[in-house]
Amino acid sequence: MKAVLMRMSVLLTVCLVAALIASSATDTRGAAEDADLELIPDRVMSQPAPQAGVPVPEAEKPGQSESHRIKVFLDEAFQGNFHRGSLAVPLPDSSSSTGWNNRISLDMRAEIRLLPEVSFIFADRLNHFLNQGEDPAEDDLLNDLKECYLTWNIHASHYLDLGRINVKNGVAVGFNPTDYFKKDAVRSRISEDPGVLRENRLGVFMARAQGIWEKGALTLILAPEVSPKANRWWTDEEIIGLGLDRTNRTTRFLSKLTLNVLEDFNPEMLYLYDDGLSSWGLNITKGVGDNIVTYAEWSGSLRRDIASRAFLDGQRDGAIPPSAPRVLSGTDERHFRNQLAVGFSYTEKVNRTTNFEYHFNEAGFSQRNWDDWLHAGAAAKSLLNNPRTEALGRGMLGQLWLVREAFQDAGEPIARHSLFIRSSWQDALVKSLDLTGILNISLRDGSFLAQPMAEYHLSSSWTLSLTMDFFIGSDRTDFGTLSRWGDIRAGVAFYF
Amino acid sequence: MKYRMLLSASILLMCYVAIFVFPALLCAQGSGPALTADQIVAASDAVRNPDKPFSLKTTLMEYRGGKESDRMVLTVYSKEEKKSGQYRSLIRFVEPPRDENKLMLKDGNILWFYDPSSKASVRMSPQQRLMGQASNGDVVTVNFHTDYKSTLDGEEAITDAEKNSRACYKLTMRAANDSVTYFRIEYWVDKADFQPVKGKFYSDSERLLKIAYYRNYREELGKRRPTEVIIIDGVDSKLVTKMTYSDYNFRDIPEAHFQKEYLPRFKGE
């Protein structure tokens, strides 16, 4: 009996101790969690939170919005240029190659509510250039009126806009085949970064109607042709001229339908009618997990060969005399040409996002086009040595470089096949330092553009930047034929 | 005699357990109608998020080694999509000046970033961070119960950011789909009022990404809601981000406004 009692007592004691341990376990786990509190600095806890329930400013009350929004910044950039000693196809005017230049810009964007349903949008950039070199007679001051239009909220989410509007289409980063209003929109090529160039481009004079619904949106745009009459404030490109003849060369009609019917599938379909020629476009994006976004942008256009287009535009603008023969063989026939940008972005945990894109431009230079261009360039070069044929040689070179500029002005790669990589790293290595790298490789010849850029945010208002561009390749390649092999640019921006 | 003493001690211990320990254990397991983990998380979501469309100002302050190193101010407009139970958000950047008036749209797993300067809408991934340890997924309004499968681990008494002991439900939430920002979340919810107290957020490789404390509860839009979240970096614990919420307002936000095409039109109404 004693033995039984003893065994029972021992068993009971073990059970009770186990129960006591179990009951205290939750508290032990909670105590372990409390150690995390030690990681919060006193300063974080001591700063008072903003007062809740304080009166909301008049403009922020529900149903209303601010009467105006203005953003102004000053941007200064000094650039040193490095030129190649000799070129396979020389520039027609070697004085356009300067060793350095300087730009200071005042940029302003304003949105002003005139009436409850009517707003005025204004975006302008006043540039001052030093030693730009392209045309000594050209003014050092250049004002780019980027946007100036009225927007009327007719009803619910239906709008009507009129004026100079910067309309940007496309989901890709390096090349936007469906960005139909990009041609000739950049007057000052201040960077090789497509993103920076987009901030600096002129809008197109247009009337735009837009309806936005839960399941999609429809946009209709009519942009009329503005004839290139000289000495008119709306065309003249000197200082304050609007240059509307530049952005409105032809009458264009664009319709864009965006559908939002399926989850994570919002295709965008576009149709452009441009001076008798039609283009169709498509934009699609798709997310994969929480760090990858895939996208594709396609456009198919019935269009002329770009060499022919450059020749006709040159004759129209007076850059090519009417009697001048065509240097490059080409046809005025219109063919259906495809353009494609397909790629994906990948975000890493260190907050670095990299875009990888493949670009296809059927309107770009084929191997035969390159051979023609280089062959004509060599012929023109040989004429420069003889005073009697020098003018002819320079005229030929002018035409050849006009074709290269035509690609640049059109915002299209000259290469038919290229790879584009852009990597942007926020808070890289040290706080407030952003690093960006761009690599654009021509798959025909392996030549490439590389642009490393560093931005350091000194404060919320001041940003310092250092950018380098390298155009690398042998003397008969896409990037190797350019007059500059590199440049370095130091900048400072102040946001008011 | 020795055995009697042992028996008496055992009986005393039993009485102690019967009076003090078992009731405590019973309470810990939850008496009355048991709440499911999903119900607790949904009730906690309702504490954080108003049930009608609303806007608020979010101020993010980043601290490194205890000193404020960066600051960002956003206005967030959110509306719950009744079908999915998830929020869609429009975010306008107010500060710093270089980012002023930039916009972000979140509709499910789709995020668009719009810059009025370039007029370009760029699709971005939810993992892209805004500032410090605050990701896009942190600043937008999120209902956890729709995107995570929850299990109730038990109950714990933990100390909140105010150094008060709180009796909490301890939950584990696992991602129900691959579109969410975090793979797993440990979550502590106050038993009395379903106020979230603390969260620990993990990656798919089970790495601790961040620890969050919810604090400064105030009466906002009809309920006591957290007006501050303190986020501690899971790797670099010297990096702390404070998110402060203010200027709560109910807003009438039409469905059409949660479209990429609407971003250039957005005025903040």
Side-chain angles (χ1 to χ4, degrees):
Chain A
M1 180 64 186
K2 281 179 187 173
V4 172
L5 271 174
M6 181 146 178
R7 273 200 295 272
M8 275 181 66
S9 300
V10 169
L11 194 65
L12 207 57
T13 306
V14 168
C15 289
L16 291 172
V17 168
L20 281 170
I21 290 169
S23 71
S24 63
T26 53
D27 289 332
T28 310
R29 283 203 302 270
E33 288 303 328
D34 295 346
D36 292 334
L37 281 170
E38 304 302 318
L39 301 172
I40 304 174
D42 291 341
R43 188 187 290 258
V44 178
M45 300 296 288
S46 61
Q47 283 194 351
Q51 285 293 307
V54 294
V56 180
E58 196 65 26
E60 280 290 304
K61 282 190 175 171
Q64 298 182 23
S65 64
E66 295 168 39
S67 61
H68 65 274
R69 273 185 201 144
I70 297 175
K71 183 176 179 180
V72 183
F73 70 92
L74 200 60
D75 185 24
E76 151 67 30
F78 178 84
Q79 180 169 314
N81 302 312
F82 309 102
H83 298 277
R84 289 189 165 87
S86 68
L87 292 171
V89 180
L91 295 173
D93 179 10
S94 57
S95 68
S96 61
S97 304
T98 61
W100 63 274
N101 53 54
N102 191 78
R103 172 185 59 82
I104 185 162
S105 308
L106 182 67
D107 196 289
M108 177 182 172
R109 178 174 177 80
E111 291 181 37
I112 301 162
R113 178 157 288 205
L114 304 174
L115 297 167
E117 280 81 33
V118 179
S119 295
F120 174 63
I121 285 91
F122 176 83
D124 188 83
R125 180 176 284 202
L126 180 64
N127 299 294
H128 178 264
F129 297 102
L130 264 184
N131 207 33
Q132 196 68 0
E134 285 170 2
D135 181 359
E138 200 169 276
D139 289 287
D140 290 337
L141 270 178
L142 183 67
N143 189 66
D144 284 340
L145 181 66
K146 296 188 287 185
E147 288 194 296
C148 183
Y149 67 96
L150 286 169
T151 179
W152 175 28
N153 187 184
I154 305 166
H155 169 69
S157 296
H158 298 80
Y159 300 88
L160 196 61
D161 310 311
L162 182 67
R164 169 170 262 182
I165 308 171
N166 198 342
V167 174
K168 194 260 170 187
N169 295 310
V171 292
V173 176
F175 169 43
N176 293 114
T178 64
D179 192 9
Y180 294 120
F181 295 109
K182 65 180 181 294
K183 186 172 179 284
D184 295 322
V186 175
R187 280 212 282 196
S188 316
R189 195 173 178 83
I190 61 171
S191 172
E192 297 302 320
D193 186 343
V196 174
L197 292 176
R198 275 197 288 272
E199 289 181 20
N200 193 38
R201 79 185 207 183
L202 300 174
V204 173
F205 180 70
M206 65 174 67
R208 176 172 67 179
Q210 188 175 44
I212 306 169
W213 300 271
E214 188 186 349
K215 297 294 178 192
L218 178 67
T219 306
L220 301 172
I221 291 172
L222 180 66
E225 179 187 354
V226 176
S227 58
K229 288 177 183 167
N231 300 319
R232 298 283 194 278
W233 61 268
W234 64 88
T235 62
D236 197 348
E237 290 195 9
E238 287 184 6
I239 307 180
I240 57 166
L242 300 185
L244 285 180
D245 55 332
R246 181 187 180 93
T247 56
N248 289 67
R249 277 180 185 271
T250 54
T251 298
R252 283 168 287 182
F253 169 76
L254 175 74
S255 67
K256 182 168 83 166
L257 178 67
T258 308
L259 295 177
N260 188 24
V261 286
L262 296 172
E263 194 179 340
D264 198 7
F265 185 67
N266 318 107
E268 226 179 61
M269 289 154 282
L270 301 97
Y271 170 74
L272 175 78
Y273 181 82
D274 181 354
D275 199 25
L277 302 176
S278 290
S279 301
W280 291 265
L282 179 68
N283 282 296
I284 46 174
T285 63
K286 176 83 182 157
V288 182
D290 73 336
N291 58 356
I292 294 175
V293 174
T294 60
Y295 49 85
E297 181 175 349
W298 166 84
S299 176
S301 309
L302 199 60
R303 56 190 280 181
R304 285 192 183 90
D305 184 82
I306 202 144
S308 304
R309 208 170 69 187
F311 183 79
L312 294 173
D313 285 350
Q315 281 194 325
R316 180 189 121 132
D317 297 342
I320 299 173
S323 58
R326 187 177 287 191
V327 175
L328 284 178
S329 60
T331 170
D332 287 345
E333 283 177 30
R334 295 155 181 179
H335 296 283
F336 191 84
R337 296 172 199 278
N338 292 288
Q339 294 180 317
L340 176 73
V342 59
F344 66 94
S345 69
Y346 175 68
T347 302
E348 297 165 79
K349 289 190 170 65
V350 292
N351 221 17
R352 182 170 51 214
T353 299
T354 306
N355 293 73
F356 300 89
E357 290 180 7
Y358 163 72
H359 298 163
F360 173 61
N361 182 15
E362 200 175 6
F365 262 19
S366 64
Q367 185 59 49
R368 188 173 155 235
N369 295 137
W370 273 111
D371 291 342
D372 285 353
W373 191 82
L374 290 164
H375 182 73
K381 194 177 179 179
S382 67
L383 298 174
L384 298 179
N385 299 324
N386 187 335
R388 284 186 298 176
T389 57
E390 186 185 346
L392 176 63
R394 294 204 184 280
M396 289 172 68
L397 292 172
Q399 272 196 45
L400 295 175
W401 280 100
L402 210 60
V403 175
R404 297 294 295 265
E405 283 172 24
F407 279 101
Q408 200 171 72
D409 291 343
E412 296 177 9
I414 193 167
R416 288 209 166 178
H417 306 275
S418 51
L419 282 181
F420 176 87
I421 301 166
R422 185 181 194 278
S423 189
S424 180
W425 189 3
Q426 198 182 324
D427 287 336
L429 307 172
V430 294
K431 172 75 189 152
S432 301
L433 176 69
D434 297 343
L435 298 178
T436 304
I438 292 174
L439 193 62
N440 192 356
I441 308 167
S442 168
L443 293 178
R444 181 187 73 92
D445 52 33
S447 65
F448 62 91
L449 153 73
Q451 188 196 67
M453 182 174 81
E455 276 188 315
Y456 185 73
H457 305 295
L458 274 178
S459 68
S460 62
S461 296
W462 289 95
T463 297
L464 301 177
S465 65
L466 186 68
T467 310
M468 285 180 277
D469 295 304
F470 299 101
F471 307 90
I472 308 298
S474 62
D475 63 351
R476 295 174 68 83
T477 57
D478 182 345
F479 290 101
T481 47
L482 298 176
S483 67
R484 242 183 321 153
W485 65 262
D487 58 56
I488 184 166
R489 189 164 50 253
V492 58
F494 176 74
Y495 296 84
F496 293 90
Chain B
M1 185 66 189
K2 198 166 66 177
Y3 305 117
R4 270 191 199 160
M5 279 180 66
L6 196 61
L7 193 60
S8 304
S10 297
I11 289 166
L12 274 173
L13 205 56
M14 275 175 70
C15 291
Y16 170 79
V17 168
I19 294 166
F20 298 107
V21 178
F22 282 139
L25 283 174
L26 279 172
C27 283
Q29 297 308 316
S31 54
L35 286 167
T36 66
D38 281 337
Q39 285 171 325
I40 296 167
V41 175
S44 170
D45 285 342
V47 170
R48 290 187 301 115
N49 307 323
D51 58 352
K52 285 192 283 186
F54 67 98
S55 71
L56 55 80
K57 189 168 92 177
T58 303
T59 304
L60 294 107
M61 283 175 279
E62 184 190 279
Y63 296 84
R64 282 176 188 264
K67 290 183 180 173
E68 187 183 329
S69 56
D70 208 352
R71 179 185 285 247
M72 182 178 263
V73 182
L74 312 163
T75 309
V76 181
Y77 303 79
S78 292
K79 183 177 188 177
E80 189 177 7
E81 191 190 29
K82 295 298 173 197
K83 192 176 161 190
S84 67
Q86 196 49 277
Y87 278 86
R88 290 176 294 178
S89 298
L90 271 163
I91 292 143
R92 186 166 74 83
F93 291 67
V94 181
E95 287 181 37
R98 65 175 178 273
D99 293 327
E100 194 180 351
N101 296 328
K102 289 176 182 174
L103 296 165
M104 195 168 74
L105 164 69
K106 185 179 186 294
D107 181 5
N109 193 32
I110 303 172
L111 271 94
W112 289 96
F113 181 78
Y114 175 75
D115 184 353
S117 302
S118 63
K119 312 286 279 190
S121 298
V122 179
R123 185 158 168 189
M124 59 202 295
S125 68
Q127 197 177 91
Q128 217 161 321
R129 284 203 307 270
L130 271 180
M131 192 199 74
Q133 276 312 97
S135 68
N136 298 325
D138 290 324
V139 296
V140 298
T141 311
V142 175
N143 271 338
F144 285 138
H145 78 276
T146 58
D147 279 349
Y148 292 87
K149 282 182 180 158
S150 308
T151 49
L152 181 60
D153 299 338
E155 298 177 9
E156 279 183 26
I158 65 162
T159 308
D160 67 9
E162 256 66 58
K163 305 279 171 70
N164 298 319
S165 180
R166 305 271 289 263
C168 291
Y169 293 114
K170 160 77 192 308
L171 301 126
T172 295
M173 296 187 268
R174 289 182 190 278
N177 56 65
D178 62 358
S179 70
V180 296
T181 313
Y182 307 105
F183 180 74
R184 183 170 73 88
I185 303 172
E186 286 182 281
Y187 203 50
W188 287 264
V189 175
D190 193 300
K191 281 174 60 185
D193 47 21
F194 302 105
Q195 290 181 351
V197 175
K198 181 180 177 178
K200 280 183 148 177
F201 300 83
Y202 295 86
S203 70
D204 52 0
S205 59
E206 284 296 326
R207 188 166 67 98
L208 176 64
L209 296 173
K210 56 187 78 167
I211 304 164
Y213 279 97
Y214 302 83
R215 68 184 287 251
N216 258 342
Y217 277 83
R218 293 167 190 266
E219 192 75 17
E220 293 287 2
L221 302 184
K223 212 164 203 167
R224 284 186 71 78
R225 305 185 192 280
T227 60
E228 219 171 87
V229 183
I230 295 169
I231 302 172
I232 305 158
D233 191 298
V235 179
D236 180 4
S237 59
K238 287 187 168 32
L239 181 58
V240 175
T241 306
K242 182 162 76 173
M243 295 201 299
T244 307
Y245 307 120
S246 59
D247 297 358
Y248 280 83
N249 279 299
F250 282 124
R251 299 268 179 178
D252 180 23
I253 311 174
E255 296 292 328
H257 289 197
F258 295 100
Q259 296 263 336
K260 180 191 71 144
E261 294 299 315
Y262 187 76
L263 287 171
R265 307 279 184 190
F266 187 66
K267 301 272 189 297
E269 57 267 63

